[in-house]
């Protein structure tokens, strides 16, 4: 700690920023690590693991004595069953909803198509809900709605007992919508297996983290045959750290991840984000709805627009943050983990988490400005989303993820009681199992078809009854 204070004082005296994070030499250069230049001079470290899939031989090729690999079969999905059947079609889900924003800050979401919700996902079909209407209040109007009226009406004097008359119903003003968004599309949702070559998993970390926090997930899913991609954000891990604050705004980082996504994307991509990384996954899912197949949000918070806090400790000069770095690391350990033992300290060290330069940390927190990412932006998503929340999380309250689940079209909420903000490091087995079940999940729309058949049958019965009544009237 004394060294940090000394370096911070020298930083203040010289006027130079504290030492920036520079690209580190990877200790395992052959274990899937790559350095990608997303822009001139902007280099990110990416861990890219491509599983070695065995060549697949079909029955016709076996009879003819000729081997044909997966690459020779027009890149069909891996696995003998997938090659025989071709690419999976999946279940077609009708995404239809009307989103209306009123001037008083009220958001009304009318679900007119198929809606799938389930609190606990056990690799089973989600519960089909009928058409419903969701009314929420925009985050920007919370304080405004609770404030008293500027000109309150005087109290009404009750009439005498003999003059009492029923009060007329209150007249409601016709609300004028400020904005209306209509969504009417169909989405094919299928099971994603590691043996299928058109599936790729993208892992995105948050502020102060690195791709190493996903170590358990990368090893687990790569062993199952999945292709995994995990980048280090600029200034984090072994990625290059530009010396200007504008390099760490939300839009600059989002463009970096767009370049990584376009470089490694397959036909069906699953995005897994943690904390601040959830916002970038939401951005990519909104920009590429046809390529993003599913999304996992781990302790990402509510569906509100991003705006930096002016009263945050991260607004202090970089030299002061450098002096306070031991205290900040201890605070992160206490708030990010449910327990603060030797195991958690070792996880932080192995995951290279919260090990960034003060300048990068300050620029990251100040650059979290994304006004487009509001409730309407999230309500427009039609991709299935799994929400994972650690019950002991002190950074993200539980009600924020619950609000996110209400606004999203296809949302599954899972709460891990023994987990906190870094739940994927604390409970890797639980998180890996939960994610794998979600990857394999495929909705069964037979219930919807039966409901439609029942509705059509009822309609036909009503028509027959009306015709019989009409005939009786004519006979009379």
């Amino acid at each position: 700690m004394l060294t940090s204070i000394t370096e911070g004082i020298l930083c203040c005296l010289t006027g130079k920023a504290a030492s920036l994070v520079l690209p580190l030499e990877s200790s395992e250069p052959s274990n899937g690590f790559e350095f990608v230049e997303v822009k001139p001079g902007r280099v990110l470290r990416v861990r890219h693991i491509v599983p070695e899939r065995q060549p697949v031989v079909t029955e016709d090729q076996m009879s003819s004595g000729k081997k044909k690999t997966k690459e020779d079969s027009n890149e069909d999905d891996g696995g003998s069953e997938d090659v025989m059947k071709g690419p999976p079609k999946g279940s077609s889900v009708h995404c239809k909803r009307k989103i209306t924003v009123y001037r008083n800050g009220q958001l009304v979401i009318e679900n007119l198509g198929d809606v799938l919700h389930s609190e606990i996902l056990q690799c089973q079909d989600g519960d089909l809900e009928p058409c419903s209407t969701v009314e929420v209040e925009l985050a920007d109007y919370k304080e405004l709605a609770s404030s008293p009226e500027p000109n309150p009406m005087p109290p009404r004097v009750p009439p005498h007992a003999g003059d009492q008359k029923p009060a007329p119903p209150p007249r409601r003003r016709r609300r004028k919508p400020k904005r209306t968004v209509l969504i009417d599309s169909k989405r094919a949702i299928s099971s994603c297996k590691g043996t299928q070559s058109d599936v790729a998993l993208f892992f995105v970390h948050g502020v102060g983290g690195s791709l190493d926090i996903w170590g358990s997930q990368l090893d687990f899913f790569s062993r199952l045959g999945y292709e995994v991609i995990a980048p280090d954000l600029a200034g984090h891990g072994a990625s290059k750290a530009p010396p200007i604050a504008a390099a760490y705004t939300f839009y600059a980082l989002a463009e970096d991840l767009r370049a990584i996504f376009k470089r490694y994307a397959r036909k069906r991509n699953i995005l897994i984000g943690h904390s601040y990384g959830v916002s970038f996954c939401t951005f990519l899912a909104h920009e590429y709805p046809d390529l993003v197949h599913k999304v996992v949000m781990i302790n990402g918070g509510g569906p509100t627009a991003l705006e930096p806090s002016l009263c945050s400790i991260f607004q202090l000069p970089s030299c002061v943050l450098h002096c306070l770095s031991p205290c900040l690391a201890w605070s992160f350990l206490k708030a990010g983990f449910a327990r603060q033992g030797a195991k958690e300290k070792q996880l932080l060290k192995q995951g290279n988490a919260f090990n960034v330069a003060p300048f990068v940390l300050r620029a990251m927190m100040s650059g979290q400005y994304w006004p487009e990412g509001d409730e309407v932006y999230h309500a427009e998503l039609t991709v299935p989303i799994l929400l994972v929340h650690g019950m002991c999380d002190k950074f993200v309250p539980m009600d924020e993820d619950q609000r996110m689940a209400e606004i999203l079209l296809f949302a599954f909420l899972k709460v891990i009681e023994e987990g906190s903000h870094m739940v994927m490091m604390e409970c890797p087995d639980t998180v890996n199992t939960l994610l794998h079940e979600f990857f394999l999940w495929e909705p069964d729309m037979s219930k919807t078809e039966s409901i439609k058949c029942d509705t059509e049958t009822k309609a036909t019965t009503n028509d027959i009854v009306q015709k019989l009544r009409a005939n009786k009237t004519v006979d009379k």
Side-chain angles (χ1 to χ4, degrees):
M1 184 174 180
L2 182 61
T3 305
S4 301
I5 296 175
T6 305
E7 292 179 355
I9 294 174
L10 292 175
C11 171
C12 294
L13 293 176
T14 58
K16 296 181 180 180
S19 57
L20 300 181
V21 177
L22 298 177
L24 303 176
E25 293 295 334
S26 176
S27 59
E28 299 174 318
S30 60
N31 196 17
F33 289 96
E34 303 174 4
F35 286 90
V36 180
E37 189 174 21
V38 293
K39 288 183 180 179
R42 197 174 176 98
V43 181
L44 304 182
R45 182 183 68 155
V46 180
R47 188 175 182 187
H48 180 209
I49 303 178
V50 181
E52 296 181 1
R53 299 185 176 93
Q54 296 295 329
V56 178
V57 182
T58 62
E59 295 180 358
D60 296 337
Q61 294 161 2
M62 292 179 63
S63 60
S64 60
K66 178 183 177 182
K67 288 187 177 181
K68 187 177 182 181
T69 61
K70 171 191 54 148
E71 288 78 7
D72 298 330
S73 304
N74 297 325
E75 294 187 1
D76 287 339
D77 294 331
S80 58
E81 182 180 354
D82 298 315
V83 172
M84 295 293 290
K85 294 183 179 180
K89 296 181 180 180
S91 300
S92 181
V93 179
H94 188 193
C95 307
K96 186 177 182 180
R97 62 182 357 191
K98 181 180 179 182
I99 308 170
T100 307
V101 181
Y102 293 94
R103 300 185 183 276
N104 62 348
Q106 191 177 20
L107 177 67
V108 178
I109 304 175
E110 300 177 57
N111 296 318
L112 308 176
D114 299 327
V115 183
L116 297 165
H117 283 286
S118 178
E119 292 185 358
I120 301 178
L121 185 66
Q122 298 291 347
C123 198
Q124 299 291 334
D125 307 324
D127 297 332
L128 290 169
E129 294 186 353
C131 299
S132 59
T133 301
V134 180
E135 294 189 18
V136 296
E137 198 172 275
L138 297 180
D140 299 339
Y141 290 85
K142 283 183 178 179
E143 298 180 358
L144 181 62
S146 59
S147 60
E149 297 182 1
N151 298 321
M153 295 293 293
R156 187 176 180 181
V157 180
H160 297 287
D163 299 337
Q164 285 186 356
K165 295 181 180 180
R171 297 182 60 184
R172 298 183 62 182
R173 291 184 179 181
R174 186 177 181 182
R175 297 177 298 176
K176 294 182 179 180
K178 180 181 178 181
R179 180 185 174 191
T180 302
V181 179
L182 298 176
I183 299 174
D184 191 353
S185 62
K186 289 187 177 181
R187 170 177 287 274
I189 305 173
S190 59
S191 173
C192 298
K193 302 177 183 178
T195 55
Q196 297 169 341
S197 62
D198 65 340
V199 177
L201 310 182
F202 287 82
F203 293 85
V204 184
H205 67 81
V207 178
S210 70
L211 64 85
D212 297 320
I213 68 173
W214 302 108
S216 300
Q217 287 71 41
L218 298 179
D219 295 340
F220 178 81
F221 288 105
S222 61
R223 288 197 302 267
L224 291 178
Y226 286 93
E227 180 178 359
V228 296
I229 302 97
D232 276 333
L233 297 180
H236 293 67
S239 292
K240 195 170 183 180
I244 57 176
Y248 303 97
T249 63
F250 173 85
Y251 297 102
L253 299 173
E255 290 302 320
D256 292 347
L257 293 175
R258 185 202 295 268
I260 297 297
F261 182 77
K262 293 174 66 175
R263 178 186 179 94
Y264 296 101
R266 301 297 181 187
K267 292 182 180 179
R268 294 182 295 164
N269 304 278
I270 301 177
L271 309 180
I272 303 97
H274 171 252
S275 192
Y276 191 27
V278 169
S279 299
F280 301 113
C281 293
T282 304
F283 169 79
L284 293 175
H286 204 278
E287 292 289 310
Y288 303 98
D290 296 333
L291 292 177
V292 176
H293 202 64
K294 296 175 182 177
V295 176
V296 179
M297 299 181 176
I298 303 177
N299 293 327
T304 56
L306 297 181
E307 186 175 351
S309 176
L310 300 179
C311 300
S312 173
I313 189 176
F314 298 103
Q315 297 297 328
L316 296 174
S318 301
C319 56
V320 178
L321 292 178
H322 191 77
C323 298
L324 299 176
S325 57
C327 299
L328 294 176
W330 178 81
S331 300
F332 179 79
L333 175 65
K334 186 176 181 181
F337 289 86
R339 300 176 181 177
Q340 295 80 38
K343 176 184 176 182
E344 286 72 22
K345 294 180 181 178
Q346 186 65 21
L347 288 175
L348 274 182
K349 185 177 180 180
Q350 294 177 353
N352 199 20
F354 214 76
N355 187 25
V356 297
F359 171 78
V360 175
L361 184 60
R362 183 176 187 272
M364 287 283 291
M365 300 302 294
S366 301
Q368 292 186 4
Y369 178 72
W370 186 35
E372 295 86 2
D374 56 2
E375 289 90 342
V376 179
Y377 189 91
H378 287 79
E380 292 175 347
L381 296 177
T382 59
V383 58
I385 298 177
L386 172 64
L387 299 169
V388 180
H389 184 87
M391 180 66 76
C392 303
D393 191 351
K394 297 181 179 64
F395 290 110
V396 180
M398 178 64 186
D399 56 354
E400 290 192 12
D401 276 332
Q402 290 177 343
R403 181 181 176 87
M404 179 76 83
E406 291 177 359
I407 289 181
L408 295 174
L409 179 60
F410 302 137
F412 301 88
L413 177 61
K414 178 64 178 179
V415 179
I416 301 178
E417 295 183 358
E418 62 274 15
S420 185
H421 192 66
M422 308 298 291
V423 64
M424 64 282 184
M425 302 178 70
E426 295 175 295
C427 315
D429 296 336
T430 304
V431 173
N432 293 343
T433 302
L434 185 63
L435 265 59
H436 193 208
E437 289 178 351
F438 180 62
F439 299 163
L440 298 177
W441 168 77
E442 180 177 351
D444 183 8
M445 306 308 295
S446 59
K447 298 180 181 179
T448 306
E449 294 177 357
S450 62
I451 293 174
K452 291 180 179 178
C453 293
D454 294 341
T455 305
E456 293 176 357
T457 303
K458 291 180 180 178
T460 306
T461 305
N462 292 334
D463 293 340
I464 295 174
V465 171
Q466 290 179 1
K467 290 181 180 179
L468 291 174
R469 290 179 179 175
N471 294 333
K472 290 182 179 179
T473 305
V474 172
D475 295 338
K476 291 181 179 178

